[in-house]
Amino acid sequence: MHVLIVHAHPEPQSFNAAMTRTAVDTLEANGHTVEVSDLYAMQFNPVAGWHDFPQAADPSFLHYQREQKIAFERQTYAPEIAWEHGKLTRADLVIFQFPVWWRSSPAILKGWFDRVLGVGFAYGAGRVYSTGGLQGKRALLSVTFGGPTSAAEAVEVLQQLQDGVLAFVGFEVLSPFVVGGPRHLTADARQAELQRYHETLEALTCDRTPPGQCHHRAPLVHDALEQA
Ligand SMILES: Cc1cc2nc3c(=O)[nH]c(=O)nc-3n(C[C@H](O)[C@H](O)[C@H](O)COP(=O)(O)O)c2cc1C
């Protein structure tokens, strides 16, 4: 299978960066292919605007969703948006790796949602949820919190992103992978969390691995809701 990791952390030595490296190593070792959109390293611009539409249909008034629809139909999007569309189109699984900031994602990832998950490509004309543009693909939120976090708190914080964004555009949303307070853990405990992530990724991709090599089922988000 092909996996896209959308990574949103500014520090390459952070625990989030270690999680993305773990994911790349784990997935490639299991025969999968991986692309990473490292948003800070790419200096991805999270600000929506005219620059999204080099050939805007109506230069007198920025109707953002209408221009998204037309840019998608005419294939006139700015290259940085078109490249992200290409990565999403190729992916079977998309992992969003980020620290929880203000009970949500860092702004750079919110801007990526605003600009990349546009009308036409991701939703629109009645294409939402099971008929959304990303149908047939799976999505995983892999996140860190500042401190210990209960499953119920994680579900509450991540609900809007999982349902209001990812499920809305058609993703099958997997149960999130959550690490509470990595900065307060010992080196051994951090390593144990990376090992848990490695095992989780092996489990949730095993349905695309040769038969007999694994025996797990990828949990869906409602499993986590039932446990909360
Ligand atoms: C701007 C900002 C907002 C934050 N908001 C939250 C929050 O709402 N909830 C929380 O648990 N931690 C919050 N944190 C703490 C981070 O989630 C935490 O430092 C990070 O997950 C640790 O991972 P790292 O070591 O890879 O950075 C915030 C941190 C920053 C910088």
Side-chain angles (χ1 to χ4, degrees), residues 157-178:
V157 168
L158 300 175
Q159 171 77 18
Q160 191 277 330
L161 289 175
Q162 295 201 133
D163 186 59
V165 180
L166 301 178
F168 182 82
V169 298
F171 280 113
E172 177 185 7
V173 182
L174 300 169
S175 189
F177 186 86
V178 176

Side-chain angles (χ1 to χ4, degrees), residues 110-128:
K110 173 60 166 58
W112 186 94
F113 290 139
D114 294 345
R115 298 182 67 209
V116 174
L117 301 181
V119 177
F121 176 75
Y123 70 98
R127 294 161 53 244
V128 294

Side-chain angles (χ1 to χ4, degrees), residues 100-166:
V100 169
W101 283 5
W102 299 122
R103 295 173 70 81
S104 184
S105 66
I108 201 168
L109 178 56
K110 173 60 166 58
W112 186 94
F113 290 139
D114 294 345
R115 298 182 67 209
V116 174
L117 301 181
V119 177
F121 176 75
Y123 70 98
R127 294 161 53 244
V128 294
Y129 291 102
S130 62
T131 57
L134 283 303
Q135 63 183 281
K137 302 177 189 298
R138 299 187 294 176
L140 170 72
L141 294 185
S142 176
V143 303
T144 60
F145 282 76
T149 308
S150 68
E153 185 183 356
V155 166
E156 184 199 336
V157 168
L158 300 175
Q159 171 77 18
Q160 191 277 330
L161 289 175
Q162 295 201 133
D163 186 59
V165 180
L166 301 178

Side-chain angles (χ1 to χ4, degrees), residues 57-138:
D58 179 1
S60 67
F61 183 97
L62 180 52
H63 189 316
Y64 194 70
Q65 287 178 302
R66 187 186 302 152
E67 293 290 349
Q68 285 184 317
K69 179 172 180 289
I70 294 169
F72 176 69
E73 287 170 355
R74 298 181 183 171
Q75 300 185 26
T76 55
Y77 256 121
E80 67 194 276
I81 307 290
W83 289 331
E84 297 307 297
H85 286 171
K87 295 175 195 173
L88 282 167
T89 300
R90 287 190 287 278
D92 304 295
L93 167 68
V94 183
I95 298 173
F96 296 92
Q97 179 67 54
F98 60 92
V100 169
W101 283 5
W102 299 122
R103 295 173 70 81
S104 184
S105 66
I108 201 168
L109 178 56
K110 173 60 166 58
W112 186 94
F113 290 139
D114 294 345
R115 298 182 67 209
V116 174
L117 301 181
V119 177
F121 176 75
Y123 70 98
R127 294 161 53 244
V128 294
Y129 291 102
S130 62
T131 57
L134 283 303
Q135 63 183 281
K137 302 177 189 298
R138 299 187 294 176

